[in-house]
Amino acid sequence: MNRSIIPLLCSFLFLSASSASAFNVTKILSQYPDYTNFNDLISKTGLASEINAKSTITLLAIPNGAIGDLTSKPNDVVKKILTTHVVLDYYDTMKLQKLKDKTSKLTTMFQESGKASNDQGFLNVTAKDNTFVFGSAVKDAQRDSRLEKSVMNQPYNISILGISQPIVTPGIDSPLSPSSAPSPKANTPKSSPPKAESPAEEEAEAPAEEEAEAPTKDADSPSADSPAADAQAPSSSSADKLKISFGFFVVLASMVALY
């Protein structure tokens, strides 16, 4: 082997090794106290080592005061959320200002993971009110994480941009467990108040009651064809016959007395 080639080969290997590990994101962030919590999260979840394996990234860093409840979530969920804050390209403030369109679509590490769906792995960046606003590319997602400052940049390997709050990607968080999920409200029909009876209905019910009572009254009063009526008729005719017989007897007795 030609000896002149050896130095060139060593230089190539050195450059390759340097490009393969162009930065240490944890070491860089440790120089900025405002991002201590963010630095802890990417280290704890193992995301820092994956970021260091990249040759070109833009990190959207969240300050301590805006980290919110990320510290209380499970590590796997936090990692998913934070991978949406790692753009697989180099963007500093100068490059953002050169964007031709008002809104551009950025690819994140979450898209690279293969776990994204419905644009979860993409961000939209929009020029607005003399600054830039980042948000999930998912339809109807919130887009209100403002660019606050450029923390550091190392062209064209790593750029760290400070944003105002975490980027919310719909559906990326773990669903509620059945025990903690609120129980669905039963769609039971409400009991309707008792219906007030109208005067017409009360009048309609009255005849029905009278009709029900009518047979009772008829049953109590004797009819013309009943046996009681037949029994009374013979008793009155017998009395008349007795009166006639008695009168005839008196007349007969008077005549006998004359003779």
Side-chain angles (χ1 to χ4, degrees):
M1 180 181 292
N2 193 338
R3 291 183 178 181
S4 61
I5 299 178
I6 295 176
L8 293 175
L9 183 60
C10 292
S11 299
F12 176 77
L13 292 174
F14 176 78
L15 291 174
S16 299
S18 298
S19 61
S21 180
F23 52 81
N24 185 319
V25 67
T26 304
K27 187 175 181 179
I28 293 172
L29 284 174
S30 65
Q31 303 174 41
Y32 303 94
D34 290 344
Y35 301 96
T36 302
N37 293 339
F38 183 78
N39 194 15
D40 290 342
L41 288 176
I42 65 173
S43 299
K44 183 174 64 174
T45 58
L47 182 59
S49 59
E50 295 181 20
I51 292 174
N52 291 338
K54 301 294 181 184
S55 58
T56 303
I57 63 107
T58 298
L59 183 63
L60 304 178
I62 308 165
N64 296 335
I67 207 73
D69 63 346
L70 282 178
T71 56
S72 63
K73 293 181 181 292
N75 283 347
D76 58 334
V77 175
V78 175
K79 186 175 182 178
K80 288 180 183 179
I81 295 172
L82 294 183
T83 52
T84 63
H85 293 66
V86 185
V87 179
L88 298 179
D89 200 352
Y90 180 87
Y91 285 92
D92 54 17
T93 53
M94 292 181 63
K95 186 175 180 179
L96 287 174
Q97 290 171 358
K98 291 179 181 179
L99 291 175
K100 294 181 180 180
D101 301 327
K102 290 186 176 180
T103 299
S104 293
K105 198 171 188 178
L106 312 178
T107 305
T108 69
M109 280 186 67
F110 189 59
Q111 177 65 23
E112 187 182 51
S113 70
K115 299 176 182 179
S117 60
N118 299 324
D119 283 341
Q120 287 180 325
F122 298 96
L123 298 180
N124 281 344
V125 56
T126 304
K128 184 178 180 182
D129 300 332
N130 297 322
T131 187
F132 295 90
V133 178
F134 295 88
S136 173
V138 175
K139 184 179 180 182
D140 299 328
Q142 297 179 10
R143 294 168 189 168
D144 50 7
S145 185
R146 294 176 292 101
L147 172 66
E148 291 189 330
K149 62 180 179 179
S150 174
V151 179
M152 66 81 60
N153 59 77
Q154 180 182 311
Y156 290 92
N157 299 122
I158 180 171
S159 173
I160 300 179
L161 302 175
I163 57 176
S164 61
Q165 61 191 50
I167 296 170
V168 178
T169 300
I172 200 172
D173 203 342
S174 58
L176 293 174
S177 61
S179 58
S180 60
S183 57
K185 294 182 180 179
N187 295 323
T188 55
K190 295 182 178 180
S191 57
S192 57
K195 184 179 178 182
E197 295 183 355
S198 61
E201 292 177 348
E202 293 179 356
E203 292 178 0
E205 292 180 357
E209 294 178 357
E210 292 179 359
E211 290 176 1
E213 293 176 357
T216 307
K217 293 179 180 179
D218 293 340
D220 294 340
S221 61
S223 62
D225 297 331
S226 64
D230 294 340
Q232 289 179 357
S235 60
S236 59
S237 60
S238 300
D240 293 339
K241 289 179 181 181
L242 287 174
K243 289 178 181 179
I244 295 172
S245 300
F246 180 76
F248 179 76
F249 178 75
V250 171
V251 172
L252 182 62
S254 298
M255 291 178 64
V256 171
L258 290 176
Y259 288 105

